[in-house]
Amino acid sequence: MPIISASNITKKFNSFTAVNSVSLQVEKGEIFGLLGPNGAGKTTFISMLVTMKRPSSGRAEVNGFDVSSDPRGVRKSIGIVFQDQALDEELTAYENLDLHAALYSVPRNEREIRIMEVLKMVELDSRRDDQVKTFSGGMRRRLEIARGLIHYPKVLFLDEPTLGLDPQTRKHIWEYINKLRREHNVTVFLTTHYMEEADTLCDRIAIIDHGKIIMMDTPSGLKDSLGGDTLLLECSSPRKLCSTLKGQECIIDSKPHNGKLTLRLDNGEKKIPMIMQKARDAGVAVSSVSLHKPTLDDVFLHYTGRTIREENISSAESFRMHARARRRMR
Ligand SMILES: Nc1ncnc2c1ncn2[C@@H]1O[C@H](COP(=O)(O)OP(=O)(O)OP(=O)(O)O)[C@@H](O)[C@H]1O
Ligand SMILES: [Mg+2]
């Protein structure tokens, strides 16, 4: 029996549909990832599973409890690591965990053992009596994960667990998450917009865009489903090159996007000279070429016509533009 089960879960904010009829099931002990760009509906979806937001329609169960009719049952079964649940900076690591343990009614005589256990798990036991304000970003995130585990949850929900962390710390967090599953059989449901995170950490991934699941499979299943090699060309006119290459039998798919052309084709390395020749004949200047096996970003591009990376960059840019505009208005 799945430990998480959602069927046709929908969340509307007035007339805007943030999560659109999502159905999925997660098995016990799985690490499941919801991958999508900014604004795709990841936090909204996970918020309904953890009973922080009520679904507009549809049903979901976690550990056998219905999120709408039995939120208490759900909350007892889960640990939550969300961005906005701040730690108390003035308290020590130990005190933060002790407070949380009390909140979750962990019996007083068990608290110290459990706190030390979870602190060891995230390798912060030597810092137990230091105030959180002296911790780095990665250490804080580890402490937040420890806090989410203090009441031995069956399912741990993580919203963007490594957002803003450097690559090395990110890998560390992945190791802890893997260890949790290996040693404690905790089911992990996480959201991310980092493709590498979804690819290396998750057993299965659901790709979400505009509130809808567009694909769901294992990382290799998703990548293999595309077939062929990916050839990425940066060029002066991706659309022109795309139409020049139309009709070439070896090309399975071609997508111009953001100053680039992504082609999928078999035996890509052998086709590069022909493609370069066609580009020259059409007067398209190619400034870089790279060939790789399909990535999750190529999967996203295939179904949406955009890449997750470009989406995130453009969101960040629009955020900066808005911030600049706001500053000007002050
Ligand atoms: N309380 C709310 N009221 C109105 N709209 C909302 C509300 N919360 C979220 N939204 C909208 O719903 C959409 C999905 O937001 P959500 O936070 O779930 O995205 P996300 O995938 O988590 O994005 P990010 O990667 O930026 O965290 C966005 O368009 C957002 O503006
Ligand atoms: Mg979010």
Side-chain angles (χ1 to χ4, degrees), residues 177-191:
I177 295 174
N178 258 319
K179 194 162 95 178
L180 268 178
R181 186 259 297 275
R182 210 171 43 241
E183 294 175 8
H184 301 269
N185 204 30
V186 175
T187 307
V188 178
F189 188 103
L190 62 92
T191 72

Side-chain angles (χ1 to χ4, degrees), residues 11-14 16-19 34-47 53 83 159-160 163 191-193 208 210-211 312 315:
K11 181 70 187 178
K12 290 190 175 177
F13 296 110
N14 300 317
F16 176 74
T17 308
V19 173
L34 194 58
L35 172 72
N38 291 131
K42 304 180 295 294
T43 301
T44 307
F45 180 71
I46 207 172
S47 302
K53 284 198 168 90
Q83 302 291 296
D159 191 21
E160 306 265 3
L163 187 71
T191 72
T192 185
H193 62 263
I208 185 168
H210 296 306
N312 289 328
S315 302

